[in-house]
Amino acid sequence: MVTAHNEPEYVVEAFRAGASGYVLKQCAVSELVAAIQQVLDGHTYVTPLVAEHVVAAATNPKLRRNPASLTTRQREVLQLVAEGCTAKEVANWLNLSVKTAVFPQNGHHG
């Protein structure tokens, strides 16, 4: 999954939805190539830019008691993205605008 979202809950939900790798759009080409190679070799890949935040969120007792969760709609969008759908395909499939499909909101801009 290549995305602009670096929030730990997106990373967790992406893997729950079936992603094998998680890379941010601003990564270097060399990192993207390394991520693809890891996945092709049967491993998972999480960009170091978010891995630290995911571990911190997972090990923070305060966050474990009250975990951030995605809305049902955000999960639907993430599932389709993890399956390889484009923003336009997600929008058509879920009857959303492309802007909403790209940035599924939880009542505010994140």
Side-chain angles (χ1 to χ4, degrees):
M1 180 167 197
V2 179
T3 181
H5 295 283
N6 63 358
E7 297 86 356
E9 60 268 20
Y10 280 92
V11 180
V12 170
E13 292 297 331
F15 280 96
R16 285 184 182 156
S20 295
Y22 199 95
V23 180
L24 296 178
K25 286 182 179 181
Q26 73 262 25
C27 79
V29 172
S30 58
E31 181 183 2
L32 182 59
V33 170
I36 292 169
Q37 189 59 55
Q38 286 273 14
V39 170
L40 289 175
D41 288 344
H43 304 286
T44 57
Y45 183 87
V46 177
T47 183
L49 295 172
V50 298
E52 189 174 317
H53 301 292
V54 172
V55 171
T59 59
N60 183 330
K62 183 178 180 183
L63 293 177
R64 278 187 288 179
R65 283 194 307 267
N66 187 18
S69 61
L70 300 179
T71 66
T72 300
R73 179 60 62 162
Q74 288 170 326
R75 278 193 179 93
E76 291 171 336
V77 169
L78 191 54
Q79 175 69 43
L80 291 170
V81 170
E83 292 173 5
C85 293
T86 65
K88 187 174 181 180
E89 290 168 334
V90 170
N92 288 336
W93 186 260
L94 297 177
N95 197 27
L96 301 170
S97 73
V98 172
K99 183 177 178 181
T100 300
V102 174
F103 299 105
Q105 299 300 313
N106 197 9
H108 63 286
H109 288 283

